[in-house]
Amino acid sequence: MTDCPLCRPDKETALWSDTRCRVILVDDPDYAGFCRVIWQQHVKEMTDLTETDRGHFMAVVFAVEQALRESMHPDKINLASLGNQVPHLHWHVIPRFADDAHFPDPVWAMRKRDHRMIRTDRILLAEQLKRRLGELRQRKTGR
Amino acid sequence: MTDCPLCRPDKETALWSDTRCRVILVDDPDYAGFCRVIWQQHVKEMTDLTETDRGHFMAVVFAVEQALRESMHPDKINLASLGNQVPHLHWHVIPRFADDAHFPDPVWAMRKRDHRMIRTDRILLAEQLKRRLGELRQRKTGR
């Protein structure tokens, strides 16, 4: 698919990557810390991957969850693989807070309130997440 | 948590279960085939589980995805672990169709149209899914 936006990375804030997947920090004014884990190849469903690739993909998703919990201490983590609009495998990893724009509803529901007044330093957060993801994945692979 | 609805199963249509998790068919008039995979114990986040338990949980989620794809041939599978309202780990596994109530938006967004006219036989579908999930998990464990 030549018109798939996830096949052609553009202005992404990359946090971590390998040959199989990449982690980016989404630029969403409502959701600081919203990360996306994107499979590098254009594949539609998790069950289209081999079991090994699926395991690797999920291990990276859970490393992102771990890094976000340590950096931001959210009230809840939301994980979702939808892809109805862009059928190229990607996981949303979203730290949720009781006073965020939609809590306790999903971020795709009607907005409940304005976003939080406390601003997160995006550059600092990206650096923290990069470092922690690097450590978590290094510990995993022993490299 | 004694007031957690997922700790006290009530009127669930069970499709498969073991000591660690259970699969139910959700009763949603808009979404035939909407399944939920529920961790039996009251645990909040995926990274609160051991790596082995996480792997088992996801293997069951992907078996449900596989069974739904084989039975219903959906246009897309949506997977989500949210839990903002009920912080007891559960995965939504939702077969999506281009003419369903919200497509291509998430099922939590504003409704776009009435649900599909084609009715699915719920009892028949539950039987198909039960059989297929049993086969997939048996093949996996070799039991």
Side-chain angles (χ1 to χ4, degrees):
Chain A
M1 267 182 75
T2 51
D3 60 344
C4 171
L6 297 184
C7 285
R8 292 173 291 102
D10 182 36
K11 294 182 191 158
E12 290 181 346
T13 302
L15 299 180
W16 184 89
S17 73
D18 69 1
T19 54
R20 287 185 277 180
C21 59
R22 64 188 188 271
V23 181
I24 67 168
L25 183 61
V26 176
D27 192 5
D28 185 321
D30 284 330
Y31 290 98
F34 186 156
C35 291
R36 203 164 280 142
V37 189
I38 303 165
W39 194 248
Q40 304 283 24
Q41 288 200 300
H42 191 85
V43 176
K44 188 172 171 182
E45 304 284 11
M46 288 302 289
T47 47
D48 290 331
L49 295 178
T50 64
E51 198 175 325
T52 308
D53 280 346
R54 222 162 32 225
H56 177 69
F57 200 4
M58 294 315 299
V60 175
V61 169
F62 296 131
V64 173
E65 171 175 314
Q66 185 70 40
L68 285 171
R69 291 181 74 184
E70 289 170 4
S71 291
M72 303 186 76
H73 307 283
D75 294 313
K76 189 71 190 67
I77 289 284
N78 288 179
L79 303 173
S81 167
L82 308 176
N84 307 318
Q85 317 227 21
V86 182
H88 174 141
L89 280 173
H90 59 283
W91 280 89
H92 305 287
V93 185
I94 315 169
R96 301 295 309 273
F97 294 89
D99 60 351
D100 73 29
H102 304 82
F103 202 89
D105 291 342
V107 302
W108 304 280
M110 285 263 286
R111 166 184 289 272
K112 277 194 181 322
R113 62 188 75 84
D114 281 343
H115 60 75
R116 309 162 74 214
M117 289 297 102
I118 301 160
R119 302 297 301 171
T120 304
D121 184 326
R122 186 176 158 81
I123 294 171
L124 190 67
L125 177 64
E127 287 310 315
Q128 273 182 359
L129 292 172
K130 266 184 205 177
R131 191 169 51 244
R132 191 62 185 125
L133 274 175
E135 287 165 4
L136 285 167
R137 292 306 303 160
Q138 192 171 40
R139 189 188 303 168
K140 191 73 199 167
T141 56
R143 279 183 291 125
Chain B
M1 269 182 73
T2 52
D3 60 344
C4 171
L6 297 184
C7 285
R8 293 173 290 102
D10 182 37
K11 294 182 192 159
E12 290 181 347
T13 303
L15 299 180
W16 184 89
S17 73
D18 69 1
T19 54
R20 289 186 276 181
C21 59
R22 63 189 190 271
V23 182
I24 67 167
L25 184 61
V26 177
D27 191 8
D28 185 322
D30 284 331
Y31 289 98
F34 187 155
C35 290
R36 203 165 279 142
V37 188
I38 303 165
W39 195 249
Q40 304 283 23
Q41 287 199 300
H42 191 86
V43 176
K44 188 172 171 183
E45 304 284 10
M46 288 301 290
T47 47
D48 291 331
L49 296 178
T50 64
E51 197 175 327
T52 308
D53 280 347
R54 222 162 32 225
H56 177 68
F57 200 3
M58 294 315 299
V60 175
V61 169
F62 296 132
V64 173
E65 170 175 314
Q66 185 70 40
L68 285 171
R69 289 182 74 184
E70 289 169 5
S71 290
M72 303 186 76
H73 307 284
D75 294 313
K76 191 68 190 70
I77 288 284
N78 287 180
L79 303 173
S81 167
L82 308 176
N84 307 319
Q85 318 228 19
V86 183
H88 174 140
L89 280 173
H90 59 282
W91 281 89
H92 305 287
V93 186
I94 316 168
R96 301 296 309 274
F97 294 88
D99 60 352
D100 72 30
H102 303 83
F103 201 90
D105 291 343
V107 301
W108 304 280
M110 286 262 285
R111 168 184 288 270
K112 277 195 181 322
R113 62 188 75 84
D114 282 341
H115 61 74
R116 309 163 75 214
M117 288 301 102
I118 300 161
R119 303 295 302 171
T120 305
D121 184 326
R122 187 176 158 81
I123 295 170
L124 190 67
L125 177 65
E127 288 309 316
Q128 273 182 359
L129 292 172
K130 266 183 205 175
R131 191 170 52 243
R132 191 63 186 123
L133 275 175
E135 287 165 2
L136 285 168
R137 291 306 303 163
Q138 191 171 39
R139 189 188 303 167
K140 189 76 199 165
T141 56
R143 279 183 291 124

